[in-house]
Amino acid sequence: MLFISSRKDLSNEDAIGPDEFWDLKIPRGMVTGRRRLSGLSDIQKAVAGKRVLILVHGYNNEFEDITRAYNLIEGKISRFMKNKYDVVIGYSWPGGDS
């Protein structure tokens, strides 16, 4: 899944950091691989000419909870709405609880 994060070091739910762009492997809801993309241009190339769904999550949630939820949603989209979207992008920001 393509993933954009405004969280410091990708998974910090309390601190904002520079936007980071990732290609995450999330089989069965567990992140098993991650590749940092060089920037927004990589995302733009990956979605050029495609129908895109952007999932937004982050308020007071841990990274693992977000990726599990995104994996579940991406699976449902692929199963029930495969003719609507070609690419799903996950986004998270640091909501924090303080």
Side-chain angles (χ1 to χ4, degrees):
M1 167 182 282
L2 296 174
F3 195 85
I4 302 170
S5 178
S6 295
R7 293 174 172 215
K8 184 177 180 183
D9 301 321
L10 183 62
S11 61
N12 188 322
E13 67 264 15
D14 294 315
I16 196 164
D19 288 340
E20 295 180 345
F21 306 91
W22 296 86
D23 184 4
L24 301 178
K25 303 298 179 213
I26 316 172
R28 294 182 297 281
M30 300 286 294
V31 176
T32 60
R34 57 177 77 178
R35 179 176 60 94
R36 180 179 263 177
L37 303 174
S38 62
L40 183 58
S41 63
D42 285 343
I43 298 283
Q44 290 170 324
K45 288 176 194 172
V47 301
K50 297 181 180 175
R51 298 165 297 172
V52 178
L53 174 65
I54 299 175
L55 305 175
V56 180
H57 202 314
Y59 181 72
N60 200 21
N61 294 104
E62 295 187 18
F63 179 70
E64 293 78 16
D65 294 333
I66 294 168
T67 54
R68 271 194 299 274
Y70 282 174
N71 180 255
L72 179 66
I73 293 167
E74 185 179 38
K76 298 289 185 185
I77 294 296
S78 294
R79 184 172 176 198
F80 299 111
M81 301 176 75
K82 60 184 169 189
N83 296 324
K84 299 282 184 187
Y85 301 103
D86 301 312
V87 176
V88 176
I89 298 176
Y91 172 74
S92 69
W93 75 93
D97 57 352
S98 59

